């Protein structure tokens, strides 16, 4: 009986993301996007997105905060990062209305994250999660990673937008996005905020390792890829400021930095938890 609320929460959250995915697919089809029900669908989407985010947050609260400590297993970590990225996009869409369409595009990713939580029951309990220094470090790190996910999605959308603009026509799901130059300016603002947070994460991990994790700093694969991603994003921001890097070059550097960051955090967790079973 104790598992029923969590099971119901799973189904209700998944249903919300599934409906949002369906609405996004409908709006992406030229033959359907201009139908008479489109305004009603937009109203449903604007109501359903925050509901899905709240339900997803409740599920994360139950799954991550346990009596044994914070459960930061790989599936929980991925679900948390996807939820944070979607939350950031939803908040941004309140200021930039054109970004609201991205929530529907990312709804299948959120649904996949939920299914991953159900399919991969790995656990990684952090028993020092109550330490204020670790809480601050963890919060900053998660926000930095989520912002880099947002930046990567943004970069991929810029590539798609540029491709379709060259063809002289835009598919429905891209029409409501801001102009390409505005998207690019927003990308660098996101990258700057994420880079500042990543810098704080790297510095706190380097200098407060013993207080945070109970052991002195050691150069692991996770740390190495984290530093590599920091260097890539730092070089991109410096190149943009001093040499005017933009367009495809900025997008490719963003994707390279995100790949290194993905290997640093999620990659190391996958190897340790799913391959080495630690």
């Amino acid at each position: 009986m104790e598992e029923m609320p969590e099971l119901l929460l799973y189904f209700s959250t998944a249903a919300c993301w599934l409906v949002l995915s369906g609405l996004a697919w409908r709006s992406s089809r030229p033959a359907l996007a201009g139908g008479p029900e489109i305004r009603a669908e937009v109203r449903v989407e604007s109501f359903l997105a925050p509901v899905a985010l709240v339900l997803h947050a409740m599920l994360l609260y139950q799954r991550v905060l346990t009596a044994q400590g914070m459960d930061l297993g790989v599936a929980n970590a991925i679900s948390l990062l996807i939820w944070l990225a979607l939350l950031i996009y939803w908040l941004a869409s309140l200021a930039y209305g054109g970004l609201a369409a991205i929530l529907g595009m990312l709804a299948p990713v959120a649904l996949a994250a939920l299914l991953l939580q159900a399919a991969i029951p790995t656990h990684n309990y952090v028993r020092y999660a109550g330490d204020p220094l670790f809480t601050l470090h963890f919060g900053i790190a998660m926000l930095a990673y989520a912002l880099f996910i947002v930046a990567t999605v943004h970069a991929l959308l810029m590539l798609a937008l540029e491709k379709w603009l060259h063809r002289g026509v835009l598919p429905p799901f891209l029409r409501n996005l801001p102009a390409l130059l505005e998207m690019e300016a927003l990308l660098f603002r996101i990258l700057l905020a994420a880079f500042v947070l990543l810098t704080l994460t790297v510095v706190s991990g380097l200098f407060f390792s013993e207080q945070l994790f109970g052991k002195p700093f050691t150069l692991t694969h996770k740390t190495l890829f984290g530093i590599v991603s920091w260097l890539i994003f730092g070089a991109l921001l410096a190149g943009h400021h001093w040499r005017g890097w933009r367009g495809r070059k900025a997008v490719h550097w963003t994707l390279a930095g995100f790949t290194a960051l993905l290997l640093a955090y999620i990659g190391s967790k996958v190897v340790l938890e799913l391959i080495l079973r630690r």
Side-chain angles (χ1 to χ4, degrees):
M1 293 299 291
E2 291 182 0
E3 295 183 359
M4 280 301 294
E6 184 174 295
L7 188 61
L8 291 174
L9 199 52
Y10 259 118
F11 279 116
S12 56
T13 308
C16 286
W17 291 128
L18 185 61
V19 171
L20 284 168
S21 301
L23 294 176
W25 176 85
R26 178 183 171 87
S27 67
S28 71
R29 308 298 294 175
L32 301 175
E37 298 178 2
I38 188 65
R39 290 184 180 178
E41 288 181 1
V42 170
R43 287 197 297 269
V44 169
E45 192 171 326
S46 63
F47 165 76
L48 203 56
V51 171
L53 286 168
V54 170
L55 291 174
H56 201 141
M58 292 170 62
L59 183 60
L60 284 169
Y61 180 83
Q62 288 189 13
R63 289 295 304 270
V64 174
L65 299 180
T66 69
Q68 294 89 351
M70 286 181 66
D71 184 358
L72 298 178
V74 62
N76 284 347
I78 292 173
S79 185
L80 175 59
L81 287 172
I82 297 300
W83 176 80
L84 273 173
L86 284 161
L87 178 64
I88 291 168
Y89 261 123
W90 179 72
L91 292 173
S93 70
L94 301 179
Y96 299 88
L99 297 178
I102 300 176
L103 279 172
M105 293 167 54
L106 292 180
V109 180
L111 181 60
L114 284 182
L115 296 176
L116 198 65
Q117 279 185 292
I120 305 179
T122 60
H123 302 287
N124 182 11
Y125 295 111
V126 179
R127 306 187 191 281
Y128 42 81
D131 182 88
L133 187 60
F134 172 80
T135 302
L136 182 63
H137 170 84
F138 176 75
I140 293 173
M142 291 296 103
L143 188 54
Y145 297 157
L147 278 172
F148 280 122
I149 292 175
V150 170
T152 302
V153 172
H154 217 71
L156 292 172
L157 285 172
M158 284 172 57
L159 278 180
L161 197 57
E162 182 184 20
K163 173 186 172 183
W164 285 99
L165 282 172
H166 286 160
R167 294 185 177 183
V169 63
L170 285 177
F173 73 96
L174 290 177
R175 288 175 189 165
N176 294 325
L177 292 177
L180 189 57
L181 287 177
E182 189 177 353
M183 289 276 286
E184 186 177 79
L186 186 57
L187 172 65
F188 281 103
R189 286 197 287 269
I190 297 169
L191 284 172
L192 180 59
F195 180 73
V196 170
L197 293 174
L198 183 61
T199 302
L200 293 174
T201 303
V202 172
V203 169
S204 63
L206 288 174
F207 291 97
F208 301 104
S209 180
E210 194 159 358
Q211 293 93 322
L212 284 169
F213 311 113
K215 57 183 179 182
F217 169 75
T218 54
L219 188 63
T220 62
H221 287 86
K222 178 180 178 181
T223 307
L224 179 61
F225 280 114
I227 294 174
V228 168
S229 67
W230 180 82
L231 290 172
I232 291 174
F233 287 120
L236 170 58
L237 290 169
H240 174 68
H241 181 75
W242 297 108
R243 308 196 61 176
W245 290 359
R246 51 189 298 273
R248 283 180 171 269
K249 179 175 284 190
V251 169
H252 292 155
W253 276 74
T254 300
L255 297 178
F258 179 72
T259 301
L261 197 64
L262 196 66
L263 290 172
Y265 186 63
I266 299 300
S268 63
K269 293 184 76 65
V270 168
V271 171
L272 288 173
E273 296 178 26
L274 300 184
I275 299 177
L276 300 180
R277 300 289 182 180
R278 294 181 186 175

